[in-house]
Amino acid sequence: MAVETGRITTDIPARLDRLPWARWHWLVVVGLGTVWILDGLEVTIVGSMSDALKPDGTGLGMNNFDIGLAGSMYVAGACLGALFFGQLTDRLGRKKLFIITLAVYTVATVLTAFSMNPMWYFACRFLTGCGIGGEYAAINSAIDELIPAKYRGRVDIAINGSFWVGAAGGALLTIPLLDPTVIDQQWGWRLAFGLGAILAVGILIVRRNVPESPRWLFIHGREDEAESIVRDIERTVSEESHHQLHDVHDTITIRQRKSIGIGLIAKTVFTLYPKRTVLCFSLFVGQAFLYNAFFFTYGDTLTTFLGVEQTGWYIAVFAASNFAGALLLSPLFDSLGRVKMITATYLGSGVLLAITGFYLGSFDAQTLTLMGAIIFFMASAGASAAYLTASEVFPMETRALCIAFFYAIGTAAGGISGPLFFGWLIEQASADKDITQIAIGYFVGAALMILGGIVEAFLGVKAEGKSLESLAKPLTAEDSDTGAAPGNVQPQHA
C-alpha cells in the first residue's frame, strides 16, 4: 500500500497545456514517436519475407502456419511486455522505462538476425515484441503528458500512424534484399533485422534529451525537479516561438505518493470507469484483429493466391495509404471531435472490409491492394485513436498501465488469434489456390470494427481540447469541496 509523502498545489498541468507549438515539441515527437517506425519495420519485414524464411537452405524451413505463429509470438511478447513494463512505467517513471524498453527491442532484433532455426526465431520475435509492447505504454504516457491539450489528438494519432512509415520503408527494403542478383538470399533477411537495430540506436541517442514527465514527477514527490523541467521548457518554447507566455491560474492539489497500489488501479479501471473500460476494450480488440490478422499475413496472401513474387511494392502502397490516413485525418480528431471521427473511421473501414470479403474472388493483386489502401486509410486513424483514448480517459497514476492493460487484453483477443486464424485459413486454402476460402477472416475483422464503432458512438468521451486532469481526476487529487482523500475520488461513469 502506498504511503502519502506530502501535499502540494501546483499549476504545472495548466502551464504545459497553454504552451504554443514550438521546435521543442518536435524533439518529443522525434525522440519518442519514431519507435512506431521501428514497429512498422519489424512487422513488414516478417510479412514481406515470408517466402525467404521457408527454404531449408537459405531460410529456416518454415511453412505458412509457422509464419502466422511467428506473428502471434511477436504479439504475445508485446502483450506481456506491455503489462510488465507498463506497471514499471507508472512506478519508476516514463523516461527510465522508454530507455529500457528500446534497449530490449534493439538487443532482441540483433539476436533475430542470427536465428539458426525456427525456435530461435520464435523466441527472438517474442522478446522483440516485449520491447515494443513496453514502448507502447511508456511512450503514449509521456507524449500525452508533454504535448499541449490543443494538439494532443492530432499529434498522438499522427505519431501512432508513423508505424506505416516504417512499414513502407521495410517493404521497399525487402525488394533488393530478396533479389538474388543483389545479395545472397541466406543473408538478405538477416541483414534487414540488423538495419532495424541500427535505426533503434539512432533513436536512443535522440531520446536521451527528452525529459521526464513533470506530471509524473510532482505526483511522486519530486515537485522541485518537475518545476525545474517546466521552467526550462517554458523558456525554450518562448524563445523558439517568440511568444510571451501568459500566466495561468488553474491549479490542482495533490497528495503525493511514491507508488500506487495495484488494488487501487484495478478499482479505477473496473469500478470508477466501467463504460470507459468497455469502450477501450472494444476499440482495441477491433483494430488488433484487423491489423494483426490482415497485415501480418498479407504478403503470404499475395504470394500464395495471386502469384506475386516481390510483395514489397504492394505492401509499400498499402503502408503509404495507412500513414496518409493517420496524418491527414488526425486534425479532425481535435476539430470535429473524438467521438464523431472514431465512430466514422471504425464503421467505414468495417463496412468496406465486409464488402471486400464478399467479392474477394474477383480481385487481383493490384485491385486487392487498392481496396486495402482505401479501407486502411480510414482504419489507421481509428486504430491510432484507440491508443489515444486509453491514454486520455484514465487517471494519471494509472495511465501507462491502463494503456498496457487494454493493449494486452485487446491484442491477446484479436492480435494473437488473428495471425493464427489467418495463417490456418491460408494453409487450408493453399492446396486449392482458392482465395475466397479466407473471406471468413475478412468478415470477422469487419464485424469487430463495426462493433467498435457502435460502442464509440454510445460510450465515447469528448476529450478534444480538454486537459488530462479534467478528463480523469488524478487518484491522489483532493476534492476541492470535500477534501476527499486519495482513492475516494467520485466515480465518473461516462
Side-chain angles (χ1 to χ4, degrees), residues 69-98:
L69 178 59
S72 294
M73 291 297 291
Y74 177 82
V75 176
C79 291
L80 294 177
L83 290 172
F84 177 72
F85 291 119
Q87 63 170 329
L88 293 181
T89 299
D90 281 331
R91 294 179 60 188
L92 303 179
R94 309 329 189 191
K95 182 167 185 174
K96 187 174 294 185
L97 267 296
F98 64 59

Side-chain angles (χ1 to χ4, degrees), residues 101-325:
T101 52
L102 184 58
V104 170
Y105 163 86
T106 304
V107 172
T109 300
V110 171
L111 290 175
T112 305
F114 291 93
S115 296
M116 297 172 288
N117 53 59
M119 289 304 297
W120 177 295
Y121 182 77
F122 295 151
C124 290
R125 294 305 297 160
F126 177 83
L127 291 175
T128 304
C130 286
I132 287 293
E135 285 279 296
Y136 279 125
I139 299 307
N140 274 299
S141 303
I143 288 172
D144 284 352
E145 289 167 12
L146 290 170
I147 296 298
K150 179 181 179 181
Y151 306 101
R152 190 173 60 241
R154 72 193 72 183
V155 170
D156 202 301
I157 289 172
I159 284 177
N160 279 279
S162 67
F163 171 97
W164 298 104
V165 175
L172 295 174
L173 183 66
T174 62
I175 294 172
L177 292 178
L178 291 179
D179 188 342
T181 64
V182 176
I183 189 170
D184 188 332
Q185 292 303 280
Q186 66 177 319
W187 298 109
W189 62 270
R190 298 179 187 275
L191 181 60
F193 285 108
L195 292 175
I198 294 174
L199 179 59
V201 172
I203 294 173
L204 186 62
I205 294 173
V206 176
R207 185 172 288 185
R208 293 173 57 194
N209 297 314
V210 178
E212 178 59 89
S213 165
R215 284 174 156 107
W216 183 88
L217 288 169
F218 72 68
I219 280 183
H220 288 80
R222 295 162 63 180
E223 63 272 20
D224 291 341
E225 188 177 345
E227 180 65 30
S228 176
I229 289 174
V230 172
R231 285 180 179 174
D232 185 58
I233 293 172
E234 288 175 324
R235 182 174 58 255
T236 301
V237 169
S238 180
E239 292 174 355
E240 292 176 350
S241 65
H242 306 292
H243 276 76
Q244 183 68 35
L245 302 180
H246 62 80
D247 293 332
V248 298
H249 304 288
D250 294 335
T251 62
I252 185 170
T253 299
I254 295 292
R255 292 174 180 258
Q256 297 167 308
R257 290 181 172 187
K258 288 295 184 183
S259 63
I260 308 297
I262 191 69
L264 183 55
I265 292 175
K267 176 184 176 183
T268 303
V269 175
F270 295 108
T271 304
L272 299 184
Y273 299 94
K275 293 181 181 179
R276 296 182 184 188
T277 300
V278 172
L279 170 66
C280 291
F281 179 76
S282 301
L283 295 180
F284 270 89
V285 169
Q287 64 87 24
F289 185 93
L290 179 69
Y291 272 100
N292 289 291
F294 187 94
F295 192 61
F296 262 127
T297 58
Y298 190 57
D300 214 12
T301 299
L302 291 173
T303 56
T304 302
F305 302 108
L306 300 176
V308 175
E309 294 183 0
Q310 281 279 13
T311 63
W313 294 112
Y314 296 90
I315 294 179
V317 170
F318 179 82
S321 173
N322 274 268
F323 180 59

Side-chain angles (χ1 to χ4, degrees), residues 404-492:
F405 174 78
F406 290 110
Y407 171 79
I409 299 300
T411 303
I416 297 177
S417 61
L420 285 174
F421 183 45
F422 261 71
W424 179 79
L425 288 175
I426 293 171
E427 187 73 25
Q428 297 301 307
S430 60
D432 300 326
K433 297 291 183 180
D434 182 9
I435 194 173
T436 62
Q437 295 181 32
I438 70 172
I440 185 174
Y442 285 60
F443 297 143
V444 174
L448 291 172
M449 288 297 286
I450 291 171
L451 178 61
I454 293 173
V455 173
E456 173 67 32
F458 286 97
L459 301 182
V461 179
K462 296 179 179 179
E464 55 276 5
K466 297 180 181 179
S467 71
L468 296 171
E469 289 74 21
S470 68
L471 293 170
K473 183 183 298 184
L475 298 179
T476 48
E478 288 191 340
D479 190 293
S480 59
D481 297 321
T482 64
N488 293 325
V489 179
Q490 294 301 308
Q492 301 178 42

Side-chain angles (χ1 to χ4, degrees), residues 20-58:
W21 189 265
R23 189 172 60 188
W24 182 86
H25 293 104
W26 283 112
L27 169 67
V28 176
V29 170
V30 174
L32 299 184
T34 43
V35 69
W36 275 261
I37 297 177
L38 288 177
D39 193 11
L41 187 70
E42 280 287 323
V43 173
T44 310
I45 286 174
V46 175
S48 299
M49 292 192 165
S50 55
D51 270 7
L53 295 170
K54 292 177 182 178
D56 287 320
T58 59

Side-chain angles (χ1 to χ4, degrees), residues 397-410:
E397 301 93 328
T398 72
R399 182 164 294 122
L401 189 54
C402 282
I403 296 169
F405 174 78
F406 290 110
Y407 171 79
I409 299 300

Side-chain angles (χ1 to χ4, degrees), residues 331-342 461-464:
L332 299 177
F333 287 78
D334 283 324
S335 57
L336 294 181
R338 310 286 202 259
V339 177
K340 291 180 181 178
M341 287 304 300
I342 296 175
V461 179
K462 296 179 179 179
E464 55 276 5

